[in-house]
Amino acid sequence: MLRKLLLVPLAALALTVCPASAEPATGSAVQPDTQPFEQVLRQAEQGNRDAAYQAGTAYWQGETVPQDMEQAVRWWMKAAEKGHPIAQFLLGSAYHDGNGITKDARKSVQWYRKSARQSYPPAQYYLGQSLLNGEGIKADAAQAISWWKKAAAQGYSPAQYRLGNALYSGVGIKRNPEAAIQWWTKAAEQGHAESQRRLGNAYFFGEGVGKDREKAAFWYAEASRQSDAAAQFNLAFLYGQDNRSDTHDSTAVNLYRQAAIQGNAQAQFNLGLAYYNGKGIQKNRQKAVGWWHTAAQQGHAKAQFFLGLACMGGEGTERNPRLGAIWFAKAAQQGNVLAMLSLANAFREGNGVKVSTVNAYVLVREAAGIDPDAKELLKAIQENMTGQQLDRAGGLTLQEVLAQVLAS
């Protein structure tokens, strides 16, 4: 699809508005609000670049005429060739996405550049993106930042956000967290949700600015109002940390739920914990397991481990040791030590898997390499193993043991 409308100022979509730096329109002014589409189309056919842009936009939006991306691109092409900056940008977007025309990253960059040179902020921003990612042009982070600076100076919040990120990380520019905060603030004050969240992080951790939990909460709340799932999770975490009242707990749960519904795996896991413990919400083990299952399917290791425990014990779900072992294995694949130890115990007891001291030893050996506290258990298992078993264990890797669980 074309560049998200969210990133294009409303002026860019108004059919009669062009940036102040754009060349004067050729022919008479077109007023689409008072003129029918047929009249706009006639003027476009007569070579009026504004009318050509308007005709293309009408075909793109599909409100006054049936949507037709090929026709939209055709008219934008005519307007772009006459120097219309917004049409040039939209044509670059069409080439980038392959929408209404064959995808061509190189041509996308060419049209972005033509528009960017006329100081059109979205084009400057997306030209920077192409330069950063090496799409249709050799990657050049410094040049990308140069274009973001131009767009940011014009108040374009996505560019301000990206410039802040670059300054914070030191990619393509000297690291300067304090300057990053300034650009994030400019974007955040315009309602840019990601910048609001990054500001919240900065105030929470004291990065580039003094620690201030109240300001962190303020910016997380601002981003949360725009349904930013990560900000909702962070704000819920803050409320949970305060632990001052049941109201704070219930507020945290509501925020976790909002983020969880949007697919935030950590929020799904924490919402499961809230249901399990009855903190901020009525205890419900079935719902706890349901949210852990949702997070586990996204690869959340802790959720996979907790789901394994639930399946092993039949708590909040039907008892299914075999399925519990599978979830332990999935979590262990991601380095979860408790899952490794729990699966090792299952192998020792034959709970959901066949008894195998060798496999148990391999799992505990791997866990001990991460957590020294597991070394005592490793020693205890080793003392009860034969030389042959130790030899077999020496030739097995963790992944081979886990593959046995997942395949059987």
Side-chain angles (χ1 to χ4, degrees), residues 264-275:
N264 186 293
Q266 184 63 43
Q268 292 165 349
F269 172 70
N270 282 20
L271 184 56
L273 287 179
Y275 272 117

Side-chain angles (χ1 to χ4, degrees), residues 224-294:
S224 293
R225 291 189 186 98
Q226 298 189 67
S227 299
D228 185 291
Q232 289 167 341
F233 172 82
N234 291 345
L235 185 58
F237 179 79
L238 276 181
Y239 276 117
Q241 272 197 330
D242 284 345
N243 201 28
R244 289 184 293 188
S245 66
D246 291 340
T247 301
H248 270 222
D249 287 340
S250 62
T251 300
V253 168
N254 287 333
L255 286 162
Y256 280 140
R257 179 179 285 106
Q258 291 175 44
I261 289 170
Q262 293 187 75
N264 186 293
Q266 184 63 43
Q268 292 165 349
F269 172 70
N270 282 20
L271 184 56
L273 287 179
Y275 272 117
Y276 186 87
N277 295 314
K279 186 174 182 180
I281 198 168
Q282 186 174 352
K283 186 180 293 187
N284 189 318
R285 297 290 165 83
Q286 288 80 15
K287 288 186 177 180
V289 170
W291 281 112
W292 289 338
H293 186 266
T294 302

Side-chain angles (χ1 to χ4, degrees), residues 194-368:
E194 290 170 297
S195 296
Q196 292 168 339
R197 172 167 35 85
R198 291 300 297 262
L199 267 184
N201 291 344
Y203 279 113
F204 181 79
F205 293 106
E207 297 172 338
V209 69
K211 281 189 178 183
D212 190 322
R213 287 175 64 89
E214 288 188 6
K215 287 185 177 179
F218 171 81
W219 286 115
Y220 285 150
E222 290 295 299
S224 293
R225 291 189 186 98
Q226 298 189 67
S227 299
D228 185 291
Q232 289 167 341
F233 172 82
N234 291 345
L235 185 58
F237 179 79
L238 276 181
Y239 276 117
Q241 272 197 330
D242 284 345
N243 201 28
R244 289 184 293 188
S245 66
D246 291 340
T247 301
H248 270 222
D249 287 340
S250 62
T251 300
V253 168
N254 287 333
L255 286 162
Y256 280 140
R257 179 179 285 106
Q258 291 175 44
I261 289 170
Q262 293 187 75
N264 186 293
Q266 184 63 43
Q268 292 165 349
F269 172 70
N270 282 20
L271 184 56
L273 287 179
Y275 272 117
Y276 186 87
N277 295 314
K279 186 174 182 180
I281 198 168
Q282 186 174 352
K283 186 180 293 187
N284 189 318
R285 297 290 165 83
Q286 288 80 15
K287 288 186 177 180
V289 170
W291 281 112
W292 289 338
H293 186 266
T294 302
Q297 287 182 312
Q298 291 197 70
H300 192 282
K302 283 186 178 179
Q304 291 170 338
F305 168 64
F306 274 70
L307 190 55
L309 289 176
C311 290
M312 284 290 186
E315 191 172 14
T317 188
E318 209 173 295
R319 187 173 184 276
N320 189 335
R322 175 75 196 112
L323 187 57
I326 289 173
W327 284 116
F328 284 155
K330 289 179 181 290
Q333 280 182 322
Q334 299 188 68
N336 187 291
V337 172
L338 291 176
M340 294 176 195
L341 295 175
S342 296
L343 186 55
N345 191 55
F347 271 115
R348 295 174 74 189
E349 297 178 352
N351 193 12
V353 290
K354 290 182 180 180
V355 173
S356 174
T357 304
V358 170
N359 285 350
Y361 177 84
V362 172
L363 284 158
V364 177
R365 182 186 67 198
E366 188 72 20

Side-chain angles (χ1 to χ4, degrees), residues 142-154:
Q143 276 296 307
I145 289 167
S146 175
W147 283 109
W148 288 340
K149 282 182 177 179
K150 294 177 188 295
Q154 295 187 70

